[in-house]
Amino acid sequence: VMAFALAAVSFWAVCGREEGEGEGEVGAFQRINVTPHEQQANQIRVELWFYWEKRLQQTCSLLQQHYVSRPELAEPLKQSQQAWLTTRDATMQAYKLCLKQGNPQQTEDGWFNAHMNLIIIEMTKTRCLILDSTPSKAAIFNSLSPSTHHEHI
């Protein structure tokens, strides 16, 4: 949870470096000027990530509720989600270090944030779509009243 909160703060911090800052450093990011369009694009990426995160949470919640009387299914699902969260966090840390070319002190600019946003969106979306495709999720969704479908899409 803490890693997610820190990642969210990091993703919102879209900033460029001043002219000449970091130039000439080994492994430094290519200097970019963050335009309002680039900043807006990163904000849209964050909103997209939040969409997929909320949808994933709803899907997991629905599945857990559905399997409340079937611990032999609920427990592996819960363990699977915990394992995925651990893998996601480790992947994000590794990706972050790769983007920084092994230098943890490297500046996190708009280019960096855009790439971090893209990887978290893809990972969360993929996990959500996997869980959404389970036969149980489809049966649960179809059993909901039409007025509640929009809450679970």
Side-chain angles (χ1 to χ4, degrees), residues 83-108:
W84 179 80
L85 290 169
T86 299
T87 301
R88 180 210 58 200
D89 291 347
T91 301
M92 291 299 293
Q93 285 298 334
Y95 191 71
K96 179 179 184 177
L97 197 55
C98 287
L99 287 178
K100 291 183 170 199
Q101 299 178 359
N103 179 1
Q105 309 309 317
Q106 184 66 49
T107 303
E108 296 178 8

Short mmCIF file of all heavy atoms in Angstrom, two decimals, residues 83-108:
data_model
loop_
_atom_site.label_atom_id
_atom_site.label_comp_id
_atom_site.label_asym_id
_atom_site.label_seq_id
_atom_site.Cartn_x
_atom_site.Cartn_y
_atom_site.Cartn_z
N ALA A 83 0.45 -12.46 -4.27
CA ALA A 83 1.66 -12.76 -5.04
C ALA A 83 1.81 -11.79 -6.21
O ALA A 83 2.92 -11.33 -6.52
CB ALA A 83 1.63 -14.20 -5.53
N TRP A 84 0.69 -11.47 -6.86
CA TRP A 84 0.74 -10.53 -7.97
C TRP A 84 1.19 -9.16 -7.49
O TRP A 84 2.01 -8.51 -8.14
CB TRP A 84 -0.62 -10.43 -8.68
CG TRP A 84 -0.55 -9.45 -9.81
CD1 TRP A 84 -0.05 -9.67 -11.06
CD2 TRP A 84 -0.95 -8.07 -9.78
NE1 TRP A 84 -0.12 -8.53 -11.80
CE2 TRP A 84 -0.67 -7.53 -11.05
CE3 TRP A 84 -1.52 -7.25 -8.81
CZ2 TRP A 84 -0.93 -6.20 -11.36
CZ3 TRP A 84 -1.79 -5.93 -9.12
CH2 TRP A 84 -1.49 -5.42 -10.39
N LEU A 85 0.67 -8.70 -6.35
CA LEU A 85 1.08 -7.40 -5.80
C LEU A 85 2.58 -7.37 -5.50
O LEU A 85 3.25 -6.38 -5.81
CB LEU A 85 0.28 -7.07 -4.54
CG LEU A 85 -1.20 -6.76 -4.76
CD1 LEU A 85 -1.94 -6.72 -3.43
CD2 LEU A 85 -1.38 -5.47 -5.54
N THR A 86 3.09 -8.45 -4.95
CA THR A 86 4.53 -8.53 -4.66
C THR A 86 5.33 -8.48 -5.96
O THR A 86 6.32 -7.75 -6.06
CB THR A 86 4.84 -9.82 -3.88
OG1 THR A 86 4.12 -9.79 -2.64
CG2 THR A 86 6.33 -9.96 -3.61
N THR A 87 4.88 -9.24 -6.95
CA THR A 87 5.55 -9.25 -8.25
C THR A 87 5.47 -7.89 -8.92
O THR A 87 6.45 -7.39 -9.48
CB THR A 87 4.93 -10.33 -9.17
OG1 THR A 87 5.08 -11.60 -8.52
CG2 THR A 87 5.58 -10.36 -10.54
N ARG A 88 4.30 -7.26 -8.87
CA ARG A 88 4.12 -5.94 -9.46
C ARG A 88 5.09 -4.94 -8.83
O ARG A 88 5.78 -4.20 -9.53
CB ARG A 88 2.68 -5.46 -9.26
CG ARG A 88 2.44 -4.07 -9.86
CD ARG A 88 1.38 -3.28 -9.14
NE ARG A 88 1.70 -3.10 -7.74
CZ ARG A 88 0.81 -2.80 -6.81
NH1 ARG A 88 -0.45 -2.66 -7.13
NH2 ARG A 88 1.17 -2.63 -5.56
N ASP A 89 5.15 -4.93 -7.50
CA ASP A 89 6.03 -3.98 -6.81
C ASP A 89 7.50 -4.22 -7.15
O ASP A 89 8.26 -3.28 -7.38
CB ASP A 89 5.81 -4.04 -5.30
CG ASP A 89 4.44 -3.51 -4.89
OD1 ASP A 89 3.76 -2.86 -5.71
OD2 ASP A 89 4.05 -3.75 -3.73
N ALA A 90 7.91 -5.50 -7.19
CA ALA A 90 9.29 -5.83 -7.54
C ALA A 90 9.60 -5.44 -8.98
O ALA A 90 10.68 -4.91 -9.28
CB ALA A 90 9.55 -7.32 -7.32
N THR A 91 8.65 -5.68 -9.88
CA THR A 91 8.84 -5.31 -11.28
C THR A 91 8.96 -3.80 -11.42
O THR A 91 9.82 -3.31 -12.16
CB THR A 91 7.66 -5.84 -12.14
OG1 THR A 91 7.60 -7.26 -12.01
CG2 THR A 91 7.83 -5.46 -13.60
N MET A 92 8.12 -3.06 -10.71
CA MET A 92 8.20 -1.60 -10.76
C MET A 92 9.54 -1.09 -10.25
O MET A 92 10.12 -0.17 -10.83
CB MET A 92 7.05 -0.97 -9.97
CG MET A 92 5.67 -1.17 -10.59
SD MET A 92 5.49 -0.45 -12.24
CE MET A 92 5.59 1.29 -11.86
N GLN A 93 10.04 -1.68 -9.18
CA GLN A 93 11.34 -1.26 -8.65
C GLN A 93 12.46 -1.56 -9.66
O GLN A 93 13.34 -0.73 -9.87
CB GLN A 93 11.62 -1.96 -7.31
CG GLN A 93 10.83 -1.40 -6.16
CD GLN A 93 11.15 0.06 -5.88
OE1 GLN A 93 12.22 0.57 -6.17
NE2 GLN A 93 10.17 0.75 -5.32
N ALA A 94 12.42 -2.74 -10.26
CA ALA A 94 13.44 -3.10 -11.24
C ALA A 94 13.36 -2.19 -12.46
O ALA A 94 14.38 -1.71 -12.97
CB ALA A 94 13.28 -4.57 -11.65
N TYR A 95 12.14 -1.94 -12.93
CA TYR A 95 11.94 -1.08 -14.10
C TYR A 95 12.42 0.34 -13.81
O TYR A 95 13.07 0.97 -14.64
CB TYR A 95 10.46 -1.10 -14.49
CG TYR A 95 10.15 -0.47 -15.82
CD1 TYR A 95 10.53 -1.11 -17.00
CD2 TYR A 95 9.47 0.74 -15.90
CE1 TYR A 95 10.23 -0.55 -18.24
CE2 TYR A 95 9.17 1.30 -17.13
CZ TYR A 95 9.55 0.65 -18.30
OH TYR A 95 9.26 1.21 -19.51
N LYS A 96 12.12 0.80 -12.61
CA LYS A 96 12.56 2.14 -12.19
C LYS A 96 14.08 2.25 -12.24
O LYS A 96 14.63 3.21 -12.77
CB LYS A 96 12.05 2.41 -10.78
CG LYS A 96 12.44 3.75 -10.21
CD LYS A 96 11.83 3.90 -8.82
CE LYS A 96 12.11 5.26 -8.23
NZ LYS A 96 11.47 5.43 -6.91
N LEU A 97 14.76 1.25 -11.71
CA LEU A 97 16.22 1.26 -11.70
C LEU A 97 16.77 1.15 -13.13
O LEU A 97 17.78 1.80 -13.46
CB LEU A 97 16.75 0.13 -10.82
CG LEU A 97 18.20 0.24 -10.40
CD1 LEU A 97 18.50 1.57 -9.71
CD2 LEU A 97 18.56 -0.91 -9.47
N CYS A 98 16.12 0.36 -13.97
CA CYS A 98 16.55 0.27 -15.37
C CYS A 98 16.41 1.62 -16.07
O CYS A 98 17.31 2.04 -16.80
CB CYS A 98 15.75 -0.79 -16.12
SG CYS A 98 16.18 -2.47 -15.66
N LEU A 99 15.27 2.29 -15.85
CA LEU A 99 15.08 3.60 -16.46
C LEU A 99 16.12 4.60 -15.98
O LEU A 99 16.52 5.50 -16.72
CB LEU A 99 13.68 4.15 -16.15
CG LEU A 99 12.51 3.51 -16.88
CD1 LEU A 99 11.20 4.13 -16.41
CD2 LEU A 99 12.65 3.64 -18.38
N LYS A 100 16.56 4.43 -14.76
CA LYS A 100 17.57 5.32 -14.18
C LYS A 100 18.98 4.82 -14.48
O LYS A 100 19.95 5.34 -13.95
CB LYS A 100 17.37 5.44 -12.67
CG LYS A 100 16.12 6.19 -12.30
CD LYS A 100 16.02 6.32 -10.80
CE LYS A 100 14.91 7.26 -10.43
NZ LYS A 100 15.06 7.74 -9.07
N GLN A 101 19.08 3.81 -15.33
CA GLN A 101 20.35 3.23 -15.77
C GLN A 101 21.23 2.86 -14.57
O GLN A 101 22.44 3.04 -14.58
CB GLN A 101 21.06 4.18 -16.72
CG GLN A 101 20.24 4.44 -17.97
CD GLN A 101 20.89 5.40 -18.92
OE1 GLN A 101 21.97 5.92 -18.67
NE2 GLN A 101 20.23 5.64 -20.04
N GLY A 102 20.60 2.31 -13.52
CA GLY A 102 21.32 1.83 -12.36
C GLY A 102 21.67 2.89 -11.33
O GLY A 102 22.25 2.59 -10.30
N ASN A 103 21.30 4.14 -11.58
CA ASN A 103 21.63 5.23 -10.67
C ASN A 103 20.37 5.66 -9.91
O ASN A 103 19.56 6.43 -10.42
CB ASN A 103 22.19 6.42 -11.45
CG ASN A 103 22.53 7.60 -10.57
OD1 ASN A 103 22.37 7.55 -9.35
ND2 ASN A 103 22.99 8.67 -11.18
N PRO A 104 20.20 5.19 -8.66
CA PRO A 104 18.98 5.52 -7.90
C PRO A 104 18.80 7.02 -7.65
O PRO A 104 17.70 7.48 -7.38
CB PRO A 104 19.15 4.77 -6.57
CG PRO A 104 20.41 4.02 -6.64
CD PRO A 104 21.12 4.35 -7.90
N GLN A 105 19.88 7.79 -7.77
CA GLN A 105 19.81 9.24 -7.54
C GLN A 105 19.38 10.02 -8.78
O GLN A 105 19.19 11.23 -8.72
CB GLN A 105 21.18 9.77 -7.05
CG GLN A 105 21.77 9.02 -5.88
CD GLN A 105 20.81 8.85 -4.71
OE1 GLN A 105 20.10 9.77 -4.35
NE2 GLN A 105 20.77 7.64 -4.15
N GLN A 106 19.24 9.33 -9.90
CA GLN A 106 18.90 9.99 -11.17
C GLN A 106 17.58 10.74 -11.04
O GLN A 106 16.63 10.27 -10.42
CB GLN A 106 18.79 8.94 -12.28
CG GLN A 106 18.53 9.50 -13.66
CD GLN A 106 19.70 10.32 -14.17
OE1 GLN A 106 20.83 9.88 -14.11
NE2 GLN A 106 19.42 11.50 -14.65
N THR A 107 17.50 11.89 -11.65
CA THR A 107 16.31 12.73 -11.63
C THR A 107 15.13 12.02 -12.30
O THR A 107 15.29 11.36 -13.32
CB THR A 107 16.57 14.06 -12.38
OG1 THR A 107 17.68 14.71 -11.76
CG2 THR A 107 15.36 14.96 -12.35
N GLU A 108 13.95 12.15 -11.71
CA GLU A 108 12.72 11.60 -12.28
C GLU A 108 11.99 12.72 -12.99
O GLU A 108 11.35 13.55 -12.36
CB GLU A 108 11.86 10.98 -11.18
CG GLU A 108 12.54 9.80 -10.52
CD GLU A 108 11.74 9.18 -9.39
OE1 GLU A 108 10.56 9.56 -9.19
OE2 GLU A 108 12.31 8.32 -8.69
#
